[in-house]
Amino acid sequence: MKNNNIILIGFMGVGKGSVAREVIKHSKKYMTIDTDDLIESMENRKIKSVFAEEGEAYFRKLEKYVAKWLESSVQNTLISTGGGFYKQTNLKKIGIIVLLDSPFDAIIKRIKEHPNAAKKLKKRPLLADLKQARELYDARRPEYLKLADIVIDVTDKSAEACSKELLKKVKKYA
Ligand code: S3P
């Protein structure tokens, strides 16, 4: 497995962070980081502010910078990514790519049922308009599927169940 990293990709709100935290609970083989958290640390401001103050193109440049650093410097890590990070051209060089997959309506239902739903929606500028978000989902899903080494359907499954499935499926690549 390349650098022994696992990269979690998938649409906003699909549960990449929750699954990553569960995997770490069950396997001490990995550390975990999140590309959005890295960007917020670099910028000392929230993603929402980066989008509002600098625009999306600036945010995508930061993602590129993070992707280069991941490739050159990170090992043995489960990397949770923002929903648009899949566009980075060096993804395959960073690690094995795991897609967390679910239909758009199920993702939105999952977010809306979360106790922190308002916060979860507010922090994601690209979910502000659900019609546009659906179009983004429809455009991205085939790309996610093309890139993925492993696909996990997360619909109606707990983060724990998804994490177990992930660990089982990545074993093949060890
Ligand atoms: C984005 C997804 C967000 C964050 C940013 C842009 C996207 O991350 O990176 O708001 O383009 O899909 P999550 O997938 O963790 O919500």
Side-chain angles (χ1 to χ4, degrees), residues 22-174:
E22 276 301 321
V23 171
I24 298 312
K25 256 200 233 167
H26 294 285
S27 171
K28 300 294 170 223
K29 269 173 38 190
Y30 302 100
M31 207 10 207
T32 185
I33 52 179
D34 179 298
T35 58
D36 283 345
D37 290 347
L38 291 169
I39 288 172
E40 289 188 344
S41 301
M42 283 164 69
E43 289 284 303
N44 193 26
R45 53 184 162 170
K46 296 287 179 196
I47 300 294
K48 190 173 175 265
S49 305
V50 176
F51 266 72
E53 289 158 20
E54 315 291 344
E56 184 173 345
Y58 178 83
F59 175 76
R60 300 299 172 198
K61 276 192 199 146
L62 296 175
E63 285 193 317
K64 183 165 282 310
Y65 182 87
V66 168
K68 285 188 182 148
W69 174 75
L70 291 170
E71 182 185 339
S72 64
S73 311
V74 174
Q75 293 177 346
N76 307 318
T77 297
L78 174 58
I79 303 159
S80 177
T81 66
F85 197 82
Y86 75 98
K87 286 196 178 145
Q88 298 310 315
T89 50
N90 63 338
L91 230 55
K92 293 264 180 206
K93 292 185 188 153
I94 299 172
I96 171 166
I97 302 171
V98 178
L99 169 64
L100 300 190
D101 190 38
S102 193
F104 182 77
D105 289 329
I107 294 174
I108 298 304
K109 184 169 168 270
R110 180 181 178 275
I111 297 175
K112 287 191 170 162
E113 283 174 356
H114 195 279
N116 269 336
K119 197 174 155 208
K120 289 201 165 281
L121 282 168
K122 216 171 131 202
K123 76 171 201 181
R124 296 181 165 102
L126 298 178
L127 281 185
D129 178 331
L130 285 186
K131 187 173 170 282
Q132 275 178 25
R134 186 188 291 275
E135 283 166 13
L136 191 62
Y137 174 91
D138 289 342
R140 281 181 178 176
R141 187 162 179 269
E143 303 297 318
Y144 289 149
L145 286 167
K146 252 189 255 166
L147 270 169
D149 298 305
I150 293 170
V151 179
I152 297 178
D153 180 357
V154 301
T155 315
D156 295 329
K157 284 185 199 156
S158 67
E160 187 182 12
C162 297
S163 76
K164 285 184 177 156
E165 190 175 330
L166 183 151
L167 285 167
K168 204 168 151 193
K169 288 183 170 168
V170 295
K171 259 193 195 150
K172 242 180 46 192
Y173 293 81

